[in-house]
């Protein structure tokens, strides 16, 4: 009897799950069909966006990879690639509605036997540091942002988590002596989820590169200025104001779960899952990566979940029973590397601060762009084979 697995999401977790099913499960299950649904036709290696946002640093071809060619090696009847966004999920009817393009009128209902939600997350401010819809829309906004940064005399970043610190480090390395750069920190230190010593190292590197750090303030109001000069006026919580040519609000991540029924979501909009990675209350729906409510959202933890998901999903497809489902154990050890510019960095490995040379060697030198082709082609993730 044929089975259809629909995988929602063209990021790392979705692509890897589709490849694993086609490579490892399809030979064991005659008639298996995998439908991969992605809002974008291209995989976005957005880990490198913090450097790529600077014009000329990383070519588009190293950030955006077409997804469909990576699946050409599988039988045509076993795989279908759908470019569109999920708009509604009906767990009772085992269907999901998908709309083509960026809000187009064409909508399709796809039936499934098993469904994997791997739609990831977005910045709350919709900056193109993650996919913001179709490839065409994402890259158009990406180029606009690159051009604005190139022309700017001043850049302000609000949000001093890893993305904000890494982006400011890249901007400072390139423009520290030619542009006015300001990092707004809502608290005593940057990188609040890491040890104070890690934050102090990052701040020291930014200060060396002429970045102004504003502590214990947040942006309360944003006003886009018209006229020939344009820019953005920021009103801070201490009553002071700033005017920036480019303002980057790099804070607030939201799960891409608007199509999921509310009773399957937690208060933050994340999909509730059981230890098996199956969606709570559903027999044949799974959620993996940033969209679920299991653990702190990083690429490495999304990879761990993706690797764990496949044996459980395969067990169900092959009818092995509930006893075959293994429980995923969320990571408890802090693992974070934060490059600060092209040559420096800091981070935390367990209770230890990472040496700058380690961060540069493992992440900062290339920001892992060399890993993208293997992910799209179904050969490996960051650390594991597919």
């Amino acid at each position: 009897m044929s089975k259809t697995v629909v995988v929602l999401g063209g990021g790392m977790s979705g692509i890897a799950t589709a490849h694993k099913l086609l490579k490892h499960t399809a030979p064991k299950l005659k008639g298996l069909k995998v439908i991969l649904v992605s809002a974008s036709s291209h995989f976005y290696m957005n880990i490198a966006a913090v450097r790529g946002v600077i014009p000329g640093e990383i070519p588009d071809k190293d950030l955006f990879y077409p997804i469909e060619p990576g699946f050409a090696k599988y039988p045509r009847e076993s795989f279908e690639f759908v470019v569109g966004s999920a708009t509604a999920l009906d767990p009772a009817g085992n269907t999901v509605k998908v709309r083509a393009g960026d809000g187009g009128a064409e909508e399709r209902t796809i039936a499934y036997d098993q469904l994997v939600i791997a739609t990831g997350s977005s910045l709350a401010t919709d900056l193109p540091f993650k996919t913001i819809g179709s490839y065409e829309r994402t890259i158009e906004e990406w180029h606009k942002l690159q051009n604005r940064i190139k022309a700017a005399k001043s850049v302000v970043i609000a949000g001093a988590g890893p993305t904000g610190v890494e982006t400011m480090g890249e901007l400072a390395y390139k423009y520290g002596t030619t542009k006015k750069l300001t990092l707004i920190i809502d608290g005593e230190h940057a990188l609040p989820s890491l040890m104070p010593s890690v934050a102090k190292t990052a701040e020291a590197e930014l200060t060396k590169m002429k970045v102004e750090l504003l502590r214990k303030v947040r942006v309360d109001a944003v006003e886009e200025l018209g006229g020939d000069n344009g820019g953005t006026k920021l009103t801070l919580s201490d009553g002071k104001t700033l005017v920036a040519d480019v303002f980057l609000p790099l804070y607030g991540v939201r799960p891409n779960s608007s199509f999921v029924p509310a009773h399957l979501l937690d208060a933050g909009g994340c999909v509730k899952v059981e230890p098996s990675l199956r969606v709570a209350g559903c027999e044949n729906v799974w959620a993996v990566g940033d969209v679920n409510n299991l653990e702190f959202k990083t690429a490495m933890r999304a990879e761990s979940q993706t690797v764990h998901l496949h044996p459980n999903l395969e067990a169900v497809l092959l009818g092995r029973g509930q006893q075959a489902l293994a429980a995923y154990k969320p990571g408890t050890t802090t693992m974070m590397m934060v490059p600060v510019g092209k040559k420096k960095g800091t981070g935390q490995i367990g209770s230890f601060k990472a040496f700058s040379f380690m961060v540069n060697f493992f992440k900062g030198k290339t920001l892992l762009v060399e890993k993208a082709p293997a992910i799209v082609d179904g050969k490996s993730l960051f650390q594991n084979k597919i």
Side-chain angles (χ1 to χ4, degrees):
M1 182 177 178
S2 63
K3 297 282 186 179
T4 298
V5 180
V6 175
V7 180
L8 301 177
M12 179 188 69
S13 294
I15 289 173
T17 297
H19 275 296
K20 280 179 171 290
L21 288 167
L22 291 162
K23 185 183 295 188
H24 303 294
T25 307
K28 307 172 189 175
L29 183 61
K30 185 179 180 180
L32 176 66
K33 181 174 183 179
V34 177
I35 301 176
L36 177 61
V37 179
S38 174
S40 173
S41 59
H42 288 58
F43 170 68
Y44 183 10
M45 190 63 173
N46 69 298
I47 288 176
V50 297
R51 182 174 297 161
V53 76
I54 299 171
E57 288 297 319
I58 301 179
D60 289 347
K61 66 180 182 62
D62 291 338
L63 285 173
F64 300 93
Y65 284 80
I67 295 170
E68 193 167 17
F71 291 87
K73 53 182 162 289
Y74 303 113
R76 188 180 287 263
E77 66 273 12
S78 298
F79 177 73
E80 182 181 357
F81 183 55
V82 177
V83 179
S85 300
T87 59
L89 168 61
D90 178 10
N94 297 324
T95 62
V96 61
K97 289 185 178 180
V98 174
R99 178 166 291 146
D102 284 316
E106 183 181 347
E107 194 169 58
R108 171 183 172 187
T109 298
I110 303 176
Y112 60 82
D113 294 290
Q114 299 288 329
L115 176 74
V116 178
I117 302 172
T119 45
S121 61
S122 303
L123 283 175
T125 51
D126 268 342
L127 281 171
F129 279 71
K130 291 176 178 263
T131 299
I132 55 172
S134 68
Y135 165 70
E136 291 77 15
R137 180 188 172 201
T138 301
I139 202 164
E140 179 183 4
E141 293 302 316
W142 182 244
H143 289 159
K144 286 180 182 178
L145 182 57
Q146 287 179 320
N147 291 334
R148 288 175 57 213
I149 286 175
K150 182 178 181 179
K153 294 181 180 179
S154 60
V155 180
V156 173
I157 291 178
T163 301
V165 168
E166 290 184 16
T167 304
M168 184 54 81
E170 297 295 334
L171 291 173
Y173 186 89
K174 179 76 172 181
Y175 300 122
T177 59
T178 60
K179 300 182 190 291
K180 172 64 176 173
L181 303 174
T182 305
L183 178 64
I184 297 175
I185 302 171
D186 183 10
E188 185 69 40
H189 292 292
L191 303 174
S193 64
L194 303 181
M195 298 184 302
S197 60
V198 175
K200 289 178 181 178
T201 298
E203 291 172 4
E205 293 297 337
L206 292 174
T207 301
K208 287 178 188 177
M209 293 187 286
K210 311 300 182 185
V211 176
E212 181 181 8
L213 306 177
L214 301 183
R215 308 176 192 275
K216 297 183 180 180
V217 291
R218 63 183 181 277
V219 176
D220 277 353
V222 178
E223 179 186 354
E224 298 298 331
L225 303 175
D228 295 333
N229 296 326
T232 305
K233 180 181 178 181
L234 308 173
T235 302
L236 306 182
S237 56
D238 61 3
K240 296 179 181 178
T241 60
L242 290 175
V243 175
D245 293 326
V246 173
F247 171 52
L248 300 177
L250 296 177
Y251 53 82
V253 174
R254 64 181 180 221
N256 295 326
S257 60
S258 60
F259 63 94
V260 179
H263 71 278
L264 300 179
L265 305 176
D266 67 11
C270 293
V271 179
K272 296 181 289 188
V273 293
E274 300 169 349
S276 63
L277 298 177
R278 193 159 52 182
V279 174
C282 296
E283 290 294 320
N284 59 343
V285 183
W286 313 75
V288 64
D290 282 5
V291 76
N292 74 26
N293 69 336
L294 264 187
E295 55 188 342
F296 188 72
K297 303 182 189 309
T298 68
M300 297 305 177
R301 289 182 177 175
E303 176 176 344
S304 297
Q305 291 181 31
T306 302
V307 171
H308 186 89
L309 169 67
H310 176 255
N312 282 354
L313 181 55
E314 180 175 277
V316 171
L317 286 166
L318 298 180
R320 291 177 183 158
Q322 303 302 313
Q323 66 276 9
L325 302 185
Y328 177 80
K329 297 180 180 179
T332 57
T333 301
T334 299
M335 298 282 289
M336 179 71 69
M337 292 192 178
V338 185
V340 187
K342 282 189 175 181
K343 296 184 177 180
K344 299 290 185 178
T346 186
Q348 185 175 334
I349 303 173
S351 58
F352 297 95
K353 185 174 76 170
F355 293 110
S356 183
F357 76 87
M358 292 174 56
V359 176
N360 186 56
F361 179 79
F362 287 106
K363 183 179 178 183
K365 189 175 181 180
T366 65
L367 291 176
L368 306 178
V369 292
E370 73 280 3
K371 302 283 188 180
I375 293 173
V376 174
D377 289 342
K379 297 176 181 176
S380 70
L381 295 161
F382 295 116
Q383 304 175 99
N384 295 274
K385 289 184 179 180
I386 295 177

